[in-house]
Amino acid sequence: MTSTSTRGGAAIQTIDQMLAAARARLLRVGPRQAFQDVAWGALLIDIRPAAQRAAEGEIPGALIIERNVLEWRLDPSSSAHLPQAGHDLRVIVFCSEGYTSSLAAAALQDLGISRATDLDGGFCAWRDAGLPVTGPVQSSVS
């Protein structure tokens, strides 16, 4: 049984509860499925900050939109939206390990981008699957 607190009438959730709720809405994809989806036209979006991309490497062809501006760039009604923005867009968001990207993909779904999801395991899973990367190629597998 989970206990829910309230503050000012609004339910308070832990980050674990928020993550579980976000993931319950997503059809998350693994690295190989994401690679195939991109070949079929999905937009792969890297939301990691510049320092993390420099330390870990990048996925060639991924669109870089840092997390703090993601919704503004992909909401077609935003004055700051990118040309690719649209409610019918197939979006696969990724971060380093697949936690922040789950929350980001759920936020995109809240904006009406119903085909938004995230890369299960993030950049690290992509790299460890042997898929194309540029920059540092240090595997987290021992």
Side-chain angles (χ1 to χ4, degrees), residues 18-42:
M18 286 177 64
L19 184 61
R23 287 182 171 169
R25 299 168 30 187
L26 303 174
L27 295 173
R28 301 181 80 208
V29 296
R32 299 216 179 272
Q33 182 65 51
F35 184 79
Q36 186 173 35
D37 286 358
V38 168
W40 292 340

Side-chain angles (χ1 to χ4, degrees), residues 43-134:
L43 189 59
L44 188 61
I45 300 177
D46 188 343
I47 63 169
R48 298 172 299 154
Q52 203 166 31
R53 292 190 311 272
E56 295 177 342
E58 297 185 19
I59 297 174
L63 181 62
I64 296 167
I65 306 175
E66 291 192 12
R67 177 66 189 100
N68 62 325
V69 295
L70 182 68
E71 290 87 349
W72 286 269
R73 299 298 184 258
L74 292 180
D75 180 355
S77 70
S78 168
S79 62
H81 76 272
L82 295 172
Q84 300 94 320
H87 290 114
D88 60 343
L89 189 62
R90 171 67 169 155
V91 175
I92 303 170
V93 180
F94 71 93
C95 60
S96 184
E97 295 181 348
Y99 295 94
T100 303
S101 59
S102 292
L103 298 173
L108 292 177
Q109 286 187 353
D110 289 343
L111 289 174
I113 305 168
S114 61
R115 297 173 61 211
T117 192
D118 77 321
L119 175 58
D120 191 0
F123 175 84
C124 293
W126 178 283
R127 177 196 60 213
D128 292 347
L131 294 169
V133 296
T134 60

